[in-house]
Amino acid sequence: MRWAPPPDLQLRDLLGPEGTLGMPAFPIRQDPDKVFLVDKAPVYTGMLCEIFRRQSDVRRSIHLSSSVCAVGPNADYLVRDHHFTDMPWGKNSPFLRLTELDARILGLGAGFEYMTPLHAVECLLYDEVPYFRRVFDGTIKYRWRRANGETGEHEYRRRTGDIRPLRVKRYFVPDICVDAKISNLKVLAMDAKPFIERGIALGRRGITVYIDPPPRPELFVPRPVEQGH
């Protein structure tokens, strides 16, 4: 039997030395009363992501619920500020920085309902559309530690509510999102920037993945902009 390199190494070969590869690395244990061991905590986002996380040259963002791993020229930019954000998927998060890098998102074995970048919508519209304030309740504060001894604390807004992502899928395919199968493997492909921009446009129209809190139309009226701002 011939040896085949792990899938993560094959993806890196396809991207080449100028390409950056990132994967979700959401920790299995998300107890804010325990120290988040950034370089050791295993992920629940699949074996491929866990294998990728363990590579010595891979960098991981510091976030208790929505950590991301990356390798390549833009890896540091993607992950370095996640623990300074007050929202998991908003400004300066790896998910939003994908749009700034014109990144392409590839889902292997995961359907549309697992497209985490959709959550950028409630983060970016938090101040603009009253409804999206209701999907956050309180904050989560935790301590973290790296293998090199570096430690710190991070506090971010806790997302609540109940979602049904498939409610909005028809607004994304086929012009924004390619949904296909390779044998029995689900494959999704999309460019990050138009994908998130479409989600924001829908959110402003009151079209959302959330079913709870109830998305009543009056809650999607934009907040008035204060004079001078």
Side-chain angles (χ1 to χ4, degrees), residues 59-215:
R59 298 205 51 180
R60 187 181 195 176
S61 72
I62 300 171
H63 203 287
L64 184 62
S65 68
S66 302
S67 179
V68 169
C69 282
V71 67
N74 291 307
D76 178 67
Y77 177 69
L78 281 176
V79 306
R80 68 189 180 201
D81 295 321
H82 210 174
H83 57 302
F84 299 122
T85 63
D86 63 350
M87 292 189 177
W89 315 282
K91 183 180 178 182
N92 294 326
S93 74
F95 301 95
L96 197 58
R97 286 185 173 177
L98 290 175
T99 67
E100 299 167 19
L101 297 173
D102 289 327
R104 176 155 290 176
I105 302 171
L106 179 65
L108 297 175
F112 186 88
E113 62 269 31
Y114 297 105
M115 289 296 102
T116 303
L118 276 175
H119 288 300
V121 174
E122 59 255 34
C123 297
L124 295 177
L125 295 182
Y126 180 85
D127 291 319
E128 178 183 336
V129 179
Y131 175 79
F132 291 110
R133 285 182 173 268
R134 299 193 174 202
V135 305
F136 293 92
D137 180 22
T139 63
I140 294 175
K141 187 175 183 178
Y142 66 96
R143 294 167 294 144
W144 55 267
R145 182 168 69 241
R146 285 201 177 277
N148 63 7
E150 184 183 2
T151 62
E153 291 185 349
H154 176 216
E155 185 172 5
Y156 62 96
R157 296 187 186 277
R158 182 180 65 177
R159 184 190 67 86
T160 59
D162 191 8
I163 63 173
R164 297 291 187 275
L166 293 180
R167 296 177 71 239
V168 303
K169 182 179 177 180
R170 65 190 176 98
Y171 297 100
F172 288 85
V173 291
D175 58 329
I176 297 292
C177 174
V178 176
D179 188 352
K181 268 192 171 184
I182 300 177
S183 185
N184 64 343
L185 178 68
K186 288 183 178 180
V187 178
L188 288 173
M190 64 210 73
D191 290 324
K193 187 174 183 178
F195 183 74
I196 291 178
E197 287 177 345
R198 175 66 59 86
I200 293 170
L202 292 172
R204 287 179 172 141
R205 292 167 51 193
I207 300 171
T208 176
V209 298
Y210 285 90
I211 62 170
D212 186 60

